[in-house]
Amino acid sequence: MTVCAEASMAIDAAPSQVYELLADYEVSHPQILPHNFFTGIHVVSGGHGAGTVLDVGTRQFGRQVIYRTVVTEPEPGRVLVESDQQGSFVTTFTVDAADSGGSLVRIATEWKDLRGLLSRWLTPIAARAIYQRQLEMIASKVRRGTA
């Protein structure tokens, strides 16, 4: 069964600034990962936008899991996609211009969940909380002018 989780936030920064932060896997992107869930990113190849290959470490149920992901840009400057090479999940970052003059940023993940009903109910709740924290970290980083 496919499960989805997403969160979005208006951020007071130009869409190009937010997108650049997300696409920079060498410096900026690792700085906007909540450490209670992510254990880090290792750039295998590339490092900026499409074609980047990453090992993404996560904490899940008390153990570390590392996913090999590939980055694509189906809409450069607007949509950035991280796909697990095993086909278990796809995370999409979308950055649109907001009516307020800033950006509307959305993080959404779809994954295959075979563990059962409770997991399909709880995991999206946890993922939304992680994404909300990540969006707050993005907003803070661009507010400080370090993006």
Side-chain angles (χ1 to χ4, degrees):
M1 170 178 227
T2 300
V3 182
C4 304
E6 69 177 72
S8 60
M9 175 184 281
I11 294 178
D12 189 21
S16 60
Q17 182 183 11
V18 175
Y19 192 86
E20 179 59 30
L21 179 150
L22 293 170
D24 176 8
Y25 288 94
E26 290 284 349
V27 178
S28 297
H29 201 109
Q31 296 174 3
I32 53 112
L33 297 177
H35 297 295
N36 61 330
F37 178 74
F38 292 98
T39 60
I41 286 180
H42 169 71
V43 175
V44 176
S45 64
H48 191 277
T52 298
V53 177
L54 308 164
D55 284 338
V56 180
T58 64
R59 277 189 201 89
Q60 298 178 13
F61 308 107
R63 63 186 178 97
Q64 181 172 342
V65 178
I66 297 176
Y67 295 98
R68 172 76 43 104
T69 62
V70 176
V71 177
T72 59
E73 292 181 89
E75 295 180 51
R78 181 177 175 265
V79 179
L80 194 69
V81 177
E82 299 173 0
S83 301
D84 170 41
Q85 285 189 328
Q86 301 299 318
S88 59
F89 73 87
V90 174
T91 298
T92 303
F93 298 86
T94 306
V95 182
D96 288 311
D99 293 337
S100 64
S103 302
L104 180 59
V105 183
R106 177 177 169 260
I107 304 172
T109 299
E110 290 186 0
W111 67 94
K112 296 175 186 164
D113 192 330
L114 306 173
R115 292 179 290 200
L117 185 60
L118 187 60
S119 174
R120 283 183 223 127
W121 181 72
L122 290 175
T123 306
I125 293 170
R128 278 191 295 276
I130 292 164
Y131 298 155
Q132 195 62 43
R133 178 65 186 128
Q134 191 169 11
L135 289 163
E136 291 165 0
M137 293 172 79
I138 292 168
S140 176
K141 188 162 181 56
V142 296
R143 209 175 16 254
R144 288 191 319 264
T146 57

